[in-house]
Amino acid sequence: MQLTPVPVVRLIEEFSRLPGIGPKTASRLTFYLLRNSAERAKALAEAIRQLHEKITFCSCCFNITESDPCSVCGNQNRDQSIICVVEEPLDVIAIERTRDYHGLYHVLHGVIAPVEGVGPEDLKIAELITRVRVSDKVHEIILATNPNLEGESTAMYIARQFQGMAVKVTRLARGLPVGGDLEYADEITLSRALSGRSEIR
Amino acid sequence: MQLTPVPVVRLIEEFSRLPGIGPKTASRLTFYLLRNSAERAKALAEAIRQLHEKITFCSCCFNITESDPCSVCGNQNRDQSIICVVEEPLDVIAIERTRDYHGLYHVLHGVIAPVEGVGPEDLKIAELITRVRVSDKVHEIILATNPNLEGESTAMYIARQFQGMAVKVTRLARGLPVGGDLEYADEITLSRALSGRSEIR
């Protein structure tokens, strides 16, 4: 006998498909929504529905935006000579939060990951090259992909594409995280911190 | 400057309202939906929307159901003389899974929790009393609220309501969990297991 009503089973299944949400959490979320008012559930459903309807990608930097070009690309006060290349829109938000960067962005929407079948052609790399070629303002490209295996190899791949072009390609510094403890730093981070040491003036 | 588009912020907020989902998980889920196809997001939104539309509560046992009365209350093959009282619809599913219970259910939709402002009148206790009074078939009420402080006091409260009535009120056995280890059992469970010991025949 099917005791759990079909709509409940369906929502549990849909929740389970989200990353990091197992069947137990999915059923907890479903019964939570069921216990709460229909308005609460409707607000969530509406927010999900509008996500793809209202969000588009900036045709210049491929960040998510409600209007094209996005608020960064459309802002003439931003430094047009630097492009910071990141993996995901979330990375843009992280860098903006520092309030230390005033250039432009370029969102790759992923990293090169052969194991998962993601090649350079699946990312916005060709668009980045065209963008830099067309503009005569860009002097520096900061490769801000994640400091892990895939991020590094993606950065190396992009750097190679710009070889011979009159543009400086840089990479975010690797080293000890601020507030971290030298004792607990892994060897690779520590050796990067050593090789990247800077003079105290 | 508002860098994250409003629909994205709104969905992150909606996700954050769910239990056990913090702002970080909420933003991870939102960007996951954004990266995936609009169809996937739409399926989730639709499943949430239909939850309250298609699900109703059984007017007899207050379990969730698509049709009233529910499949248990409407089934004449179930033992009409026993009612198992549980806190939530999920508990019904758990008990059904044992395949050892063939009576009826009554879902309280919570427990008495004065700290959170939940009194007996917020639960389906009055409905349970009426249900037992009206029927002449019910001989036993099994109180299957959770074996914790609130579950116990709710069970005690309900048991008191049936004092003097010609109905047997029982409580699920407390003891060592099957497959558990005596060495690691907490004292309360162990003392319950001792006092509830049964003769081997």
Side-chain angles (χ1 to χ4, degrees), chain A residues 143-158:
Chain A
L143 297 173
T145 51
N146 287 329
N148 54 28
L149 191 68
E150 279 132 356
E152 293 292 353
S153 57
T154 305
M156 288 309 108
Y157 176 87
I158 296 173

mmCIF file of all heavy atoms in Angstrom, chain A residues 143-158:
data_model
loop_
_atom_site.group_PDB
_atom_site.id
_atom_site.type_symbol
_atom_site.label_atom_id
_atom_site.label_comp_id
_atom_site.label_asym_id
_atom_site.label_seq_id
_atom_site.Cartn_x
_atom_site.Cartn_y
_atom_site.Cartn_z
ATOM 1 N N LEU A 143 44.189 35.763 -13.116
ATOM 2 C CA LEU A 143 43.541 34.454 -13.103
ATOM 3 C C LEU A 143 43.212 34.081 -11.661
ATOM 4 O O LEU A 143 44.099 33.782 -10.864
ATOM 5 C CB LEU A 143 44.450 33.409 -13.754
ATOM 6 C CG LEU A 143 44.739 33.697 -15.238
ATOM 7 C CD1 LEU A 143 45.765 32.730 -15.782
ATOM 8 C CD2 LEU A 143 43.463 33.644 -16.062
ATOM 9 N N ALA A 144 41.931 34.166 -11.326
ATOM 10 C CA ALA A 144 41.499 33.935 -9.938
ATOM 11 C C ALA A 144 40.692 32.648 -9.824
ATOM 12 O O ALA A 144 39.730 32.574 -9.066
ATOM 13 C CB ALA A 144 40.701 35.136 -9.442
ATOM 14 N N THR A 145 41.085 31.623 -10.584
ATOM 15 C CA THR A 145 40.447 30.314 -10.420
ATOM 16 C C THR A 145 40.890 29.743 -9.076
ATOM 17 O O THR A 145 41.878 30.211 -8.504
ATOM 18 C CB THR A 145 40.833 29.359 -11.560
ATOM 19 O OG1 THR A 145 42.261 29.361 -11.687
ATOM 20 C CG2 THR A 145 40.227 29.800 -12.880
ATOM 21 N N ASN A 146 40.186 28.744 -8.578
ATOM 22 C CA ASN A 146 40.492 28.185 -7.253
ATOM 23 C C ASN A 146 41.897 27.596 -7.187
ATOM 24 O O ASN A 146 42.390 27.062 -8.168
ATOM 25 C CB ASN A 146 39.473 27.107 -6.883
ATOM 26 C CG ASN A 146 38.131 27.703 -6.529
ATOM 27 O OD1 ASN A 146 38.050 28.821 -6.000
ATOM 28 N ND2 ASN A 146 37.063 26.989 -6.833
ATOM 29 N N PRO A 147 42.547 27.682 -6.001
ATOM 30 C CA PRO A 147 43.902 27.146 -5.846
ATOM 31 C C PRO A 147 43.896 25.640 -5.643
ATOM 32 O O PRO A 147 44.508 25.151 -4.719
ATOM 33 C CB PRO A 147 44.425 27.889 -4.614
ATOM 34 C CG PRO A 147 43.210 28.199 -3.822
ATOM 35 C CD PRO A 147 42.085 28.364 -4.792
ATOM 36 N N ASN A 148 43.204 24.910 -6.538
ATOM 37 C CA ASN A 148 43.252 23.443 -6.480
ATOM 38 C C ASN A 148 43.686 22.912 -7.852
ATOM 39 O O ASN A 148 43.942 23.700 -8.770
ATOM 40 C CB ASN A 148 41.902 22.863 -6.061
ATOM 41 C CG ASN A 148 40.775 23.356 -6.939
ATOM 42 O OD1 ASN A 148 40.987 23.681 -8.109
ATOM 43 N ND2 ASN A 148 39.575 23.430 -6.395
ATOM 44 N N LEU A 149 43.745 21.593 -7.982
ATOM 45 C CA LEU A 149 44.279 20.987 -9.206
ATOM 46 C C LEU A 149 43.604 21.521 -10.465
ATOM 47 O O LEU A 149 44.278 21.987 -11.399
ATOM 48 C CB LEU A 149 44.103 19.460 -9.132
ATOM 49 C CG LEU A 149 44.840 18.686 -10.208
ATOM 50 C CD1 LEU A 149 46.338 18.770 -10.009
ATOM 51 C CD2 LEU A 149 44.380 17.228 -10.228
ATOM 52 N N GLU A 150 42.271 21.474 -10.495
ATOM 53 C CA GLU A 150 41.558 21.897 -11.708
ATOM 54 C C GLU A 150 41.677 23.398 -11.944
ATOM 55 O O GLU A 150 41.839 23.839 -13.081
ATOM 56 C CB GLU A 150 40.079 21.513 -11.601
ATOM 57 C CG GLU A 150 39.847 20.062 -11.949
ATOM 58 C CD GLU A 150 38.980 19.358 -10.931
ATOM 59 O OE1 GLU A 150 38.619 20.003 -9.912
ATOM 60 O OE2 GLU A 150 38.692 18.170 -11.139
ATOM 61 N N GLY A 151 41.610 24.177 -10.857
ATOM 62 C CA GLY A 151 41.752 25.625 -10.979
ATOM 63 C C GLY A 151 43.117 26.004 -11.533
ATOM 64 O O GLY A 151 43.228 26.867 -12.409
ATOM 65 N N GLU A 152 44.143 25.328 -11.034
ATOM 66 C CA GLU A 152 45.520 25.611 -11.479
ATOM 67 C C GLU A 152 45.682 25.279 -12.962
ATOM 68 O O GLU A 152 46.239 26.062 -13.732
ATOM 69 C CB GLU A 152 46.532 24.785 -10.676
ATOM 70 C CG GLU A 152 46.665 25.135 -9.206
ATOM 71 C CD GLU A 152 47.293 26.505 -8.964
ATOM 72 O OE1 GLU A 152 47.753 27.149 -9.929
ATOM 73 O OE2 GLU A 152 47.281 26.947 -7.798
ATOM 74 N N SER A 153 45.185 24.081 -13.358
ATOM 75 C CA SER A 153 45.409 23.685 -14.749
ATOM 76 C C SER A 153 44.589 24.554 -15.698
ATOM 77 O O SER A 153 45.024 24.859 -16.807
ATOM 78 C CB SER A 153 45.128 22.192 -14.953
ATOM 79 O OG SER A 153 43.828 21.895 -14.553
ATOM 80 N N THR A 154 43.418 25.005 -15.245
ATOM 81 C CA THR A 154 42.622 25.916 -16.070
ATOM 82 C C THR A 154 43.368 27.245 -16.227
ATOM 83 O O THR A 154 43.427 27.812 -17.332
ATOM 84 C CB THR A 154 41.235 26.154 -15.430
ATOM 85 O OG1 THR A 154 40.612 24.892 -15.205
ATOM 86 C CG2 THR A 154 40.360 27.000 -16.329
ATOM 87 N N ALA A 155 43.946 27.730 -15.124
ATOM 88 C CA ALA A 155 44.718 28.979 -15.170
ATOM 89 C C ALA A 155 45.906 28.833 -16.119
ATOM 90 O O ALA A 155 46.174 29.728 -16.945
ATOM 91 C CB ALA A 155 45.208 29.340 -13.766
ATOM 92 N N MET A 156 46.599 27.680 -16.036
ATOM 93 C CA MET A 156 47.750 27.454 -16.920
ATOM 94 C C MET A 156 47.311 27.432 -18.377
ATOM 95 O O MET A 156 47.955 28.002 -19.245
ATOM 96 C CB MET A 156 48.429 26.108 -16.575
ATOM 97 C CG MET A 156 49.205 26.114 -15.276
ATOM 98 S SD MET A 156 50.382 27.491 -15.157
ATOM 99 C CE MET A 156 49.584 28.548 -13.939
ATOM 100 N N TYR A 157 46.178 26.773 -18.635
ATOM 101 C CA TYR A 157 45.662 26.688 -20.004
ATOM 102 C C TYR A 157 45.367 28.083 -20.551
ATOM 103 O O TYR A 157 45.760 28.425 -21.667
ATOM 104 C CB TYR A 157 44.395 25.834 -20.041
ATOM 105 C CG TYR A 157 43.755 25.776 -21.411
ATOM 106 C CD1 TYR A 157 44.144 24.823 -22.347
ATOM 107 C CD2 TYR A 157 42.783 26.701 -21.792
ATOM 108 C CE1 TYR A 157 43.582 24.783 -23.616
ATOM 109 C CE2 TYR A 157 42.210 26.674 -23.046
ATOM 110 C CZ TYR A 157 42.610 25.710 -23.957
ATOM 111 O OH TYR A 157 42.069 25.692 -25.214
ATOM 112 N N ILE A 158 44.689 28.905 -19.742
ATOM 113 C CA ILE A 158 44.328 30.257 -20.198
ATOM 114 C C ILE A 158 45.588 31.097 -20.397
ATOM 115 O O ILE A 158 45.711 31.823 -21.395
ATOM 116 C CB ILE A 158 43.364 30.936 -19.190
ATOM 117 C CG1 ILE A 158 42.046 30.147 -19.123
ATOM 118 C CG2 ILE A 158 43.111 32.381 -19.565
ATOM 119 C CD1 ILE A 158 41.083 30.615 -18.050
#
